[in-house]
Amino acid sequence: MSDAVKHAGLNLGATDEETHEQAESELFGFWVFLMSDAVIFALLFATYGVMLPATVGGPTPASEYKIAPAFVETLILLTSSFTYGMASIAMKHGEPRRVLLGWMGATLGLGVVFLGLELHDFATMFGDGAWPSRSGYLSSFFALVPLHGLHVLVGCVWLVVMAAQVLTFGLDARVKINLLRLGLFWHFLDIVWIAIFSVVYLQGLIR
């Protein structure tokens, strides 16, 4: 198996062995980072599961969660993964930079819309008196879900930085590796959100 196949989308050329070796080590390091991030989310999920009954007479999951907004946010985030996938394909096949930037812009727009809807959800909960300090359940909820939102915000900023790099440096090997890292990060956020939608929102509504 060639190095080009090992790094789908990283179209660096078959003879650039040194760059491929560099890409392997840098992407491996990023995978280690993602796994450490996954451990943090796993701990927060476990904490949420333990604290779920600890409402002490305050707001409950059934009273605070709204399935329609959460479902719309899920669709938006999944669509953003699709648009970033299209950006990766544009990079792999050497499409004009405006095509790549267009898909990245669409991903950024969807990420911003997701954050806006999530902030609206939090504001609604605050309006109902569902503050993080109100109960153990709410403390664990606001430790888990906003942390994912913070990751999406970081991803949006990263998209802006990468668009600037594409415009400034073009699609050299360093920029391609950075785009691959960003793709791994963005798809990882989707996986975490699917877990939040299933474990937090759906489970909370059926309790």
Side-chain angles (χ1 to χ4, degrees):
M1 181 182 293
S2 70
D3 288 331
V5 175
K6 290 178 181 176
H7 301 295
L10 192 62
N11 189 18
L12 299 173
T15 59
D16 196 354
E17 296 181 358
E18 182 179 352
T19 306
H20 281 301
E21 290 177 0
Q22 180 185 1
E24 284 183 352
S25 61
E26 292 184 0
L27 289 177
F28 176 76
F30 196 72
W31 271 108
V32 172
F33 161 74
L34 289 180
M35 292 304 101
S36 65
D37 218 19
V39 170
I40 293 173
F41 276 108
L43 291 173
L44 291 175
F45 273 112
T47 303
Y48 175 82
V50 171
M51 301 302 290
L52 191 55
T55 58
V56 291
T60 65
S63 68
E64 294 305 316
Y65 297 162
K66 307 293 185 296
I67 188 62
F71 183 67
V72 171
E73 290 162 23
T74 302
L75 291 179
I76 289 173
L77 209 54
L78 290 176
T79 304
S80 73
S81 243
F82 169 77
T83 55
Y84 196 88
M86 293 303 293
S88 299
I89 291 174
M91 177 181 69
K92 177 180 176 64
H93 293 286
E95 298 288 343
R97 281 192 293 183
R98 67 175 184 280
V99 176
L100 171 61
L101 292 172
W103 286 115
M104 291 174 65
T107 306
L108 174 62
L110 291 167
V112 170
V113 171
F114 173 85
L115 288 174
L117 292 174
E118 190 168 62
L119 288 175
H120 180 267
D121 290 346
F122 294 158
T124 302
M125 293 180 69
F126 289 163
D128 295 338
W131 293 90
S133 58
R134 178 65 180 81
S135 66
Y137 146 65
L138 288 170
S139 296
S140 60
F141 173 86
F142 282 105
L144 172 61
V145 181
L147 180 63
H148 173 269
L150 181 62
H151 278 65
V152 175
L153 177 61
V154 170
C156 289
V157 174
W158 195 352
L159 276 164
V160 174
V161 172
M162 287 312 305
Q165 287 193 9
V166 170
L167 289 172
T168 305
F169 305 111
L171 287 174
D172 60 17
R174 181 184 56 175
V175 172
K176 286 184 175 180
I177 292 171
N178 289 338
L179 286 170
L180 285 177
R181 284 200 193 101
L182 176 55
L184 291 173
F185 182 75
W186 199 265
H187 298 315
F188 169 75
L189 296 183
D190 262 7
I191 295 171
V192 174
W193 178 257
I194 292 298
I196 289 175
F197 181 72
S198 303
V199 175
V200 175
Y201 288 100
L202 290 182
Q203 181 184 226
L205 287 170
I206 63 176
R207 288 179 65 86

